[in-house]
Amino acid sequence: MNKIKSDEILNELKNIIPNPVCELNFNNTFELIIAVTLSAQTTDKRVNEITKFLFSKYADPLSLSNAKFGDVYEIIKPLGLANSKARNIISISKDIHEKYNDIVPNSLEELTKLAGVGRKTASVVLAVGFNIPAFPVDTHLIRMANRLGYSKSNDPIIVEKDYKKYIKKDDWILAHHLFLLFGRYHCKASKPNCLDCKLSKYCKFDH
Ligand code: SF4
């Protein structure tokens, strides 16, 4: 990889992905951090179906922190991992209400102190919620880095560092969305759409 090749890839991706934005629905950063927490190992579409009801019942950190575990569990059960997700979103709400006066913190350090919030979730909140340059790396971003030659690693921290060698800070948020959506809809883990792929000349994937 080099910076010229990386710019070419990003330009191609801009043509392929017409609307590179987060697909989770949210009205504020509180709803965003809850939605991202719920999105582990499920689809954004399913999360949106659930959060529509969840946020109509619990609209702010105080109401969700006072929610009964069993009630929250029942609502989010279809998303899987409901035990830990219910525990975490109640705890996150409590901390945001009690420690941060109902305002979601905007630093990686503070965000990652919240229950169940790792570097990827915190980076999504920074990038999508606050427009602060960050580069969230999930399974799609790792796969794209490996296939397109940004990184040989499967470790998200190393992959993030490798992307950042070639992509300037101002482009981190856009690049994250482009790689994620390309991985989600075009270059899927199994059966990638290689036949008419405009990135095939850069691709290291063994077809
Ligand atoms: S050629 Fe196939 S594996 Fe390579 S980037 Fe395109 S879709 Fe993905």
Side-chain angles (χ1 to χ4, degrees), residues 107-120 122-123:
S107 76
L108 195 68
E109 198 192 349
E110 287 170 306
L111 284 165
T112 50
K113 283 183 190 151
L114 298 170
V117 176
R119 186 179 177 87
K120 193 211 77 181
S123 297

Side-chain angles (χ1 to χ4, degrees), residues 147-148 182 187 192-194 197 200 203 205 207:
R147 288 182 178 176
L148 292 171
F182 185 68
C187 186
N193 189 9
C194 302
C197 178
S200 55
C203 187
F205 184 57
H207 300 84

